[in-house]
Amino acid sequence: MNQLKLIAAAVSLLLFTTAVQAQQVQVIKLPELQKRLSRPTDTTYVVNFWATWCGPCVKELPHFDKLTTTYKNQKVKVLLVSMDYVSQLDKKVKPFIVKNALKSDVVLLNETDPNTYLTTIDPKWTGSLPFTLLLNNARHKRITFEQEFTAEELQKQLQAFMR
């Protein structure tokens, strides 16, 4: 009986640890995001701007998160940029990440004036979500999408970008 309790406690601790690790969301400002996106590496970055209140974003997030697993041995990184308000971090964003078991890096962009950050991130971005950026600085490649992706569409776009 004591062994069952010990095993149950170990499983609970493991699940709790995983949940705590998944809750790591760095709150960043635009200069930090720009710094991350300007690294001169040969890594392809898949950057998805989303929010917990955006239905199409929530629908497509598993497709982006799957890329993290699919391309784990290649120079591909997925960065999920939450556009939720900072005040919603503990109440909505972190629980959402835990509930959906997201494995990709997640940051929350703490900017309140879209007129400041939209054109800096991409001059064509109207501000609607979801918004996706594929970027490889070493190869001087960059493409943006202001649309929702199916898993197949996202894979197709990423594979074409990496050629």
Side-chain angles (χ1 to χ4, degrees):
M1 188 65 151
N2 284 339
Q3 286 181 331
L4 286 176
K5 288 181 182 177
L6 185 60
I7 291 170
V11 170
S12 296
L13 180 61
L14 179 65
L15 292 174
F16 177 75
T17 303
T18 302
V20 168
Q21 289 174 345
Q23 292 178 5
Q24 300 298 320
V25 178
Q26 187 177 5
V27 177
I28 64 172
K29 299 293 271 182
L30 183 58
E32 173 62 25
L33 180 61
Q34 289 178 291
K35 183 178 169 185
R36 286 177 181 228
L37 298 181
S38 63
R39 293 178 182 153
T41 68
D42 191 29
T43 298
T44 295
Y45 287 93
V46 180
V47 185
N48 178 254
F49 295 81
W50 65 285
T52 56
W53 47 261
C54 168
C57 302
V58 170
K59 187 177 172 186
E60 73 173 7
L61 267 180
H63 312 322
F64 285 91
D65 204 42
K66 187 177 178 186
L67 295 177
T68 295
T69 306
T70 303
Y71 292 92
K72 70 180 178 187
N73 296 324
Q74 298 182 42
K75 291 183 176 182
V76 175
K77 296 278 185 196
V78 175
L79 177 63
L80 303 175
V81 181
S82 171
M83 303 302 287
D84 290 271
Y85 291 116
V86 173
S87 63
Q88 301 297 310
L89 179 64
D90 292 327
K91 190 189 277 182
K92 291 194 175 181
V93 178
K94 287 180 179 179
F96 179 87
I97 291 167
V98 170
K99 179 182 173 190
N100 292 284
L102 296 180
K103 298 172 195 71
S104 305
D105 289 341
V106 180
V107 297
L108 188 145
L109 184 61
N110 184 17
E111 294 290 348
T112 56
D113 183 8
N115 294 324
T116 304
Y117 67 81
L118 289 178
T119 56
T120 303
I121 294 169
D122 190 273
K124 294 182 285 183
W125 187 11
T126 66
S128 71
L129 296 175
F131 181 78
T132 302
L133 166 66
L134 302 181
L135 176 73
N136 186 308
N137 289 324
R139 296 171 59 197
H140 306 287
K141 291 181 78 174
R142 177 186 174 97
I143 188 168
T144 59
F145 304 91
E146 199 166 10
Q147 68 179 71
E148 176 186 343
F149 281 110
T150 64
E152 295 77 24
E153 291 168 338
L154 182 59
Q155 276 285 351
K156 183 179 174 183
Q157 290 295 339
L158 180 57
Q159 289 175 358
F161 184 83
M162 293 173 61
R163 283 188 211 129

